[in-house]
Amino acid sequence: MQKILAAAAAMLTVYGAYAAKPTYLDTEKPIEQRVEDALSRLTTAEKVALLHAHSKFSSAGVPRLGIPDLWCTDGPHGIRPEVLWDEWDQAGWTNDSCVAFPALTALAATWNPEMSRQYGKAIGEEALYRNKQVLLGPGVNIYRTPLNGRNFEYMGEDPYLASQMVVPYIRGVQKNGVATCVKHFCLNNHEANRHTTNVIVDDRTLYEIYLPAFKSAVLDGGTWTIMGAYNLYNNEHLCHNSVILNKILKGEWGFPGAVVSDWGGVHDTDQAITNGMDLEFGSWTNGLSSGKKNAYDSYYLADPYKERLASGKADPKVLDDKVRRVLRLMMLTSLNGNDATGSMCSDEHYAAARRIGNEAIVLLKNDGNLLPLADGKKVLVVGENAIKMMTVGGGSSSLKVQHEIIPLDGLKAAAAKHGLTVDYARGYVGDTGGEYNGVVTGQDLNDNRTPEQLIAEAVDKAKNADYVIFVGGLNKANHQDAEDSDREGLGLPYGQDAVIEALAAANPNTIVVNISGNAVAMPWADKVPAILQAWFLGSEAGNSIADILTGDANPSGKLPFTFPLKLADNSVHHIVGTGKEYLGTKRANEDIYDVEYKDGVLVGYRWHDTKKIKPLFPFGHGLSYTTFAYGKPTLSAPSMSATPAITGEATLSHSPEQMRRASIAAGNAITITVPVTNTGSREGSETVQLYLTDVKAPVARPAKELKGFAKVSLKPGETKDVTFTVTPDDLAYFDADAHAWAVHPGRYRASIARSAGDVASTLNFTLK
Ligand code: BGC
C-alpha cells in the first residue's frame, strides 16, 4: 500500500511539473485576469495580510499560493542598506553596498530628461539586484522655502521642470520590473512638524503648483505606486485623505496602482479603509509607539481591519479594491515572469552617476573666465566639504556605498593629468559625525584647533597658491539638508562666510564650490570671481567636481530653484516673516499647526518675477565655459485656437502628454523656433527655456511660467535650431469655480530665455 501511495505521489509530482500554471501565475495571461484569479483564491485573512507591513520594509505575500512577500527600499538616490527584520539597526550584510547617484536636485539641475532615464535605468537595476519590488522614490514635492530640510530629495521649484524630469526616471526604473513609489503625495513642503502640519491651500494653487508633477508621474510616467505624505490637508492626514487620494488620485486621474503609506503615516483604521490607503508601513513596530515588538498585527490595516470586516462594519468590496491594487503591483514586479537579475555597482552605474553629476553642476559665476583651472598650477583646497563623505546621513536616503570619491581626492586624481599640485587646509570644523543608522563612514573629522587658527592656516597657504578652491556649504546633519528637521536660516553654518571672506582677501583667484541641496545666502558673492553649485553628487562626487574644475567637462547645469539674496525675498518668508512663522499656527487644544499657503501660485521665480524682486541667481541660471548666441526666434503662425476638450471636466483625467498630442494632431499648436550658436571655442551644451505669459489674464497670473526647455549640444561655431511646440493647454490656468482648466482668447507672450532672469527675446501670439 505504501509503495502504491509513493508511486502516486511521484506521479503527481511529475504531473505537477507539466500541469498548466494557475491563471494568476501565467504571465501569458492579461494582468487583470491574473489579478481576479488570485483574488478569488484568497481568504479574508490573507487579503488583509497583503495590506500592511510585516517587517520594516516588507509586507506579506501568500505562501500557500507561492505569492512572494513584497519588498520596498529607499530611495531615492541609491538602494538603502539592509536593516534587521524588526529594527532600524543594520543587518550587517556584506553585499548591500551600492552606488550613490546624485541627489534629485542635482538630477533636476541637468535639465536633461535623458539623464533622468539613465538614472532610472541604473537605480532600477540596483534595486532589482537586491530583489526589491518597490523603490521608495522619486520625490517631487515643490521647493517652496529654502528652509525645507528635504529639498535635496526633490526636483526643484517648478512643476513643469519636475514633471518633465520625473517621467523618464519612472519609466527607466519600471522597465526593470521594479515599481517607483513617487513621494510624498502631496503638500509636504517642509519637514518641521511634518506629522502635525495641516496645509490650507486654494484649489487653483493646488492644481497649478503642487499636483502637476504627481499627475505626470501617474498619467505619463505610469508609476505603479505612490506614497502618501505625513502631513494633513483639509484636516485629514494625507495617508488617508478623501480629497487627495479618492477624489483626485483615484477619481480624476484614475490611478490603478497602490497607495503606500509613509512610514507611520496612518493614524486611523476607518479613515485608512475609506480614504484611499492601500498598503500600510510603519516606522515603529506597531506603527503607533516606539519600541513595541512583533506587533505588526496591531497596524491599522491589520487586526483592526479584520475585526471590522468580521462584524460587517467594513465593506468587502473596498477590501477587494485594495487587494487588487497590491496584487496588480505584484504581477508587474515579482510575478512578471521576467528573470532579469539586475546589477549592482557596475562600471555602467558609476559612469551614469558621473555623467549625471557632470551635467548637474551649475557654474553660477565665472568672472574673467577664471575657470577652468589652467594646467600646471598650485591649487589650495579649503573646507570640510572637500573631505567629508556626504552619502551617510540626512535621513531615510542615507546610503552605504561601495565607494565615494570626496572632492579633494577627485581633484588629486585629476592633478597628474593637469600638472596641478594640490594642498589642503581645513578652514572650519562643522559636523564631524559620520554615522547614520549604524552605517559609519569611518572618517575621523575631529580637529581641535580654534576657528582663528584654522582661518590663519588657510590664509597663510592661500597666499602662496595660484588658485584657492573653497569647498563648503551644507551637509546631512540635522537642521541642514536632512529629513525631519528644517534649516534655521539661509546662511552658511559654522562660520564659513568668514573663512571665504578671509580667503578672498588673501587670494583674488578664490573659487567657491557650494555643496547643498538648497539655496544658501552668499554675502561674499561679489568678492569671489567664481562660484559653482555642486549638490550632493553621490559616489562620483569628487570626480564630477574635478571634471568641471579642470575643464575635462564643460558645465551645463542650470538651477532648478531660485537663489534669493536674502530669506525675506522668498515668497513664503516675505509674506509671513523670516522666523518660525512659516510653520503656521498651533491650534489651542490640539497638536496641529495650520499653515496657510498665502503665497498661492507665486512660488519661486513666479514670485520674484511678478514682484520684481531680483534674486542672487535666478531659476534656470547656469553658465558654461563657452558662450551661446540666441538668434531671432520665429513663430509658425500668429495664432491658434482652443480645442473644446481643454476646458471640460474631462481634462482632469487626461495625461498632459496625451493632451499635447491631441492638440498637435488637431493642428492646434504653434511652433517657435530659435537658432542657437556656440560662439566660443569649446564644445558645450545650453538649455534654452521657453516661458509663457498671459498678457491680459482674467485672474492674477505669474509674470511668466516655464512651459518648455531643450538642451542642445553644440560644437564651436555650430548653430542648431531649437523648436518648441505650444498648445492651448500650455496657456491654461485652473478655474477653481468651474473645477476645470480654462484658457481664454487673447494675447500671449513667449519668452525665449537663458534663465528666468535673462530673456533673450520675446514673441507675441494670440489664442482665438
Ligand atoms: C520617509 C520616507 C521613507 C520612509 C522609509 C519615512 O520616514 O519620509 O521618505 O521612504 O521613511 O524609510
Side-chain angles (χ1 to χ4, degrees):
M1 183 63 182
Q2 259 183 351
K3 268 193 186 161
I4 295 171
L5 282 177
M11 270 177 67
L12 273 176
T13 316
V14 172
Y15 172 75
Y18 291 101
K21 279 183 184 162
T23 301
Y24 72 95
L25 289 180
D26 185 351
T27 53
E28 303 287 308
K29 296 258 161 52
I31 283 190
E32 290 312 306
Q33 205 179 322
R34 296 177 61 202
V35 166
E36 290 310 317
D37 181 54
L39 183 72
S40 70
R41 295 167 191 258
L42 300 182
T43 65
T44 300
E46 284 168 340
K47 288 178 183 176
V48 173
L50 289 174
L51 305 182
H52 61 88
H54 71 164
S55 84
K56 284 276 172 274
F57 283 102
S58 65
S59 56
V62 191
R64 179 176 69 82
L65 297 178
I67 297 179
D69 296 349
L70 185 83
W71 282 90
C72 306
T73 179
D74 287 299
H77 44 257
I79 308 305
R80 186 175 174 153
E82 299 296 333
V83 297
L84 293 170
W85 185 264
D86 206 15
E87 310 283 340
W88 289 105
D89 294 341
Q90 293 302 299
W93 290 19
T94 51
N95 57 355
D96 59 351
S97 300
C98 67
V99 174
F101 297 90
L104 296 191
T105 34
L107 177 61
T110 68
W111 290 63
N112 187 350
E114 171 56 20
M115 288 299 109
S116 241
R117 190 194 61 78
Q118 293 183 18
Y119 194 122
K121 176 175 183 289
I123 196 171
E125 285 167 358
E126 300 235 337
L128 190 62
Y129 181 89
R130 290 268 302 281
N131 209 4
K132 306 301 182 194
Q133 283 77 52
V134 182
L135 176 68
L136 303 172
V140 286
N141 292 96
I142 291 293
Y143 183 119
R144 181 171 175 260
T145 157
L147 301 188
N148 178 13
R150 232 175 157 178
N151 278 336
F152 73 99
E153 289 191 56
Y154 304 139
M155 297 200 188
E157 72 186 23
D158 183 73
Y160 179 81
L161 176 64
S163 302
Q164 297 300 304
M165 295 303 287
V166 75
V167 168
Y169 180 119
I170 294 168
R171 290 181 182 155
V173 171
Q174 293 195 160
K175 253 194 178 164
N176 291 291
V178 173
T180 49
C181 189
V182 179
K183 65 192 188 184
H184 305 90
F185 190 51
C186 56
L187 298 166
N188 182 186
N189 307 99
H190 59 257
E191 283 297 280
N193 308 329
R194 61 179 176 164
H195 297 273
T196 50
T197 290
N198 178 51
V199 174
I200 301 167
V201 63
D202 63 86
D203 272 6
R204 185 176 153 215
T205 303
L206 179 67
Y207 277 80
E208 287 187 23
I209 304 291
Y210 297 100
L211 292 180
F214 289 103
K215 183 175 182 180
S216 290
V218 167
L219 290 168
D220 286 324
T223 185
W224 296 332
T225 74
I226 196 164
M227 186 190 289
Y230 277 139
N231 49 298
L232 301 89
Y233 161 72
N234 214 16
N235 301 314
E236 286 173 355
H237 278 97
L238 281 151
C239 285
H240 28 77
N241 192 289
S242 51
V243 175
I244 300 293
L245 301 182
N246 280 349
K247 179 167 168 270
I248 298 176
L249 176 68
K250 293 181 176 177
E252 290 171 5
W253 303 348
F255 178 61
V259 179
V260 176
S261 80
D262 200 344
W263 268 229
V266 176
H267 299 266
D268 183 275
T269 297
D270 295 311
Q271 285 194 33
I273 293 171
T274 49
N275 291 351
M277 174 47 50
D278 300 314
L279 186 44
E280 181 190 3
F281 280 89
S283 278
W284 309 283
T285 302
N286 67 352
L288 308 169
S289 59
S290 194
K292 197 170 153 192
K293 287 209 172 172
N294 300 323
Y296 292 99
D297 288 346
S298 322
Y299 271 41
Y300 294 99
L301 286 186
D303 284 353
Y305 196 2
K306 271 197 255 175
E307 283 153 26
R308 281 166 179 72
L309 286 160
S311 63
K313 286 191 193 127
D315 183 350
K317 284 205 200 88
V318 174
L319 172 71
D320 283 355
D321 175 68
K322 295 182 195 299
V323 174
R324 278 191 185 95
R325 290 169 186 274
V326 174
L327 288 172
R328 205 170 280 141
L329 171 62
M330 290 167 155
M331 302 302 167
L332 290 162
T333 56
S334 54
L335 297 177
N336 65 9
N338 177 353
D339 49 16
T341 52
S343 57
M344 188 95 183
C345 297
S346 66
D347 290 349
E348 288 78 12
H349 294 177
Y350 282 113
R354 186 166 179 170
R355 204 177 307 125
I356 295 161
N358 287 3
E359 279 209 29
I361 294 173
V362 182
L363 180 62
L364 293 174
K365 179 176 178 179
N366 195 22
D367 286 357
N369 294 327
L370 183 69
L371 286 172
L373 303 172
D375 284 0
K377 300 287 182 183
K378 275 197 289 185
V379 176
L380 173 70
V381 177
V382 182
E384 185 172 282
N385 283 356
I387 58 167
K388 185 172 172 64
M389 279 178 69
M390 291 291 189
T391 51
V392 175
S396 57
S397 65
S398 180
L399 297 170
K400 177 170 125 189
V401 289
Q402 191 193 44
H403 77 239
E404 173 177 350
I405 311 288
I406 53 175
L408 183 62
D409 287 350
L411 212 56
K412 281 184 177 164
K417 177 177 169 197
H418 292 277
L420 302 169
T421 52
V422 180
D423 193 9
Y424 176 73
R426 180 66 175 266
Y428 69 94
V429 176
D431 170 58
T432 55
E435 191 266 345
Y436 182 82
N437 229 203
V439 176
V440 289
T441 62
Q443 293 187 300
D444 180 4
L445 296 178
N446 288 306
D447 191 322
N448 293 328
R449 288 175 290 173
T450 64
E452 294 71 29
Q453 286 170 324
L454 291 166
I455 291 180
E457 181 204 37
V459 165
D460 215 39
K461 288 186 173 188
K463 287 179 186 152
N464 298 315
D466 295 315
Y467 298 101
V468 177
I469 303 173
F470 176 84
V471 187
L474 307 178
N475 55 40
K476 300 291 188 69
N478 281 347
H479 298 295
Q480 301 221 20
D481 281 326
E483 184 177 333
D484 205 17
S485 66
D486 283 344
R487 296 168 67 201
E488 313 225 286
L490 191 64
L492 286 178
Y494 318 125
Q496 291 178 74
D497 290 342
V499 186
I500 297 169
E501 301 260 358
L503 291 171
N507 189 318
N509 292 340
T510 294
I511 298 147
V512 174
V513 177
N514 181 62
I515 293 181
S516 71
N518 252 317
V520 301
M522 297 183 173
W524 32 261
D526 286 341
K527 296 183 189 153
V528 296
I531 308 174
L532 284 177
Q533 175 60 29
W535 320 111
F536 298 106
L537 295 178
S539 287
E540 291 290 297
N543 285 335
S544 284
I545 291 169
D547 284 347
I548 294 292
L549 286 169
T550 58
D552 282 353
N554 192 352
S556 65
K558 299 249 185 185
L559 291 178
F561 51 79
T562 309
F563 270 58
L565 255 174
K566 53 184 193 302
L567 189 58
D569 290 350
N570 162 278
S571 59
V572 176
H573 302 283
H574 188 100
I575 294 167
V576 301
T578 54
K580 302 279 178 205
E581 303 88 348
Y582 78 104
L583 299 178
T585 317
K586 190 180 173 307
R587 292 186 190 167
N589 301 315
E590 226 182 333
D591 192 18
I592 297 285
Y593 294 78
D594 287 307
V595 178
E596 197 180 339
Y597 283 14
K598 292 186 181 149
D599 44 330
V601 295
L602 297 184
V603 173
Y605 69 88
R606 286 170 167 76
W607 164 264
H608 283 267
D609 286 358
T610 308
K611 300 289 177 187
K612 300 196 167 53
I613 299 173
K614 209 172 150 11
L616 175 62
F617 296 112
F619 171 80
H621 170 72
L623 306 172
S624 164
Y625 294 152
T626 187
T627 45
F628 302 99
Y630 287 39
K632 199 172 165 345
T634 50
L635 208 56
S636 63
S639 68
M640 61 179 157
S641 55
T643 53
I646 63 164
T647 48
E649 288 275 318
T651 60
L652 294 170
S653 64
H654 285 170
S655 100
E657 256 320 301
Q658 277 173 356
M659 305 265 295
R660 274 187 85 71
R661 281 199 294 269
S663 292
I664 294 167
N668 242 332
I670 54 172
T671 57
I672 295 171
T673 304
V674 60
V676 181
T677 306
N678 182 343
T679 49
S681 55
R682 46 161 79 217
E683 189 170 353
S685 296
E686 168 72 341
T687 299
V688 185
Q689 299 155 45
L690 171 75
Y691 296 84
L692 298 179
T693 303
D694 187 344
V695 178
K696 268 207 171 144
V699 292
R701 297 189 73 174
K704 63 180 186 292
E705 299 186 85
L706 184 76
K707 294 293 171 181
F709 62 87
K711 193 166 190 173
V712 275
S713 164
L714 295 165
K715 299 206 170 59
E718 192 183 7
T719 300
K720 278 184 191 160
D721 278 348
V722 174
T723 299
F724 298 105
T725 307
V726 180
T727 69
D729 317 297
D730 296 326
L731 310 173
Y733 64 92
F734 192 78
D735 179 342
D737 294 334
H739 197 72
W741 291 93
V743 284
H744 67 95
R747 274 199 315 129
Y748 292 86
R749 184 167 59 243
S751 301
I752 313 292
R754 298 181 167 88
S755 76
D758 186 357
V759 173
S761 50
T762 58
L763 288 170
N764 293 317
F765 61 92
T766 51
L767 187 77
K768 287 188 193 152

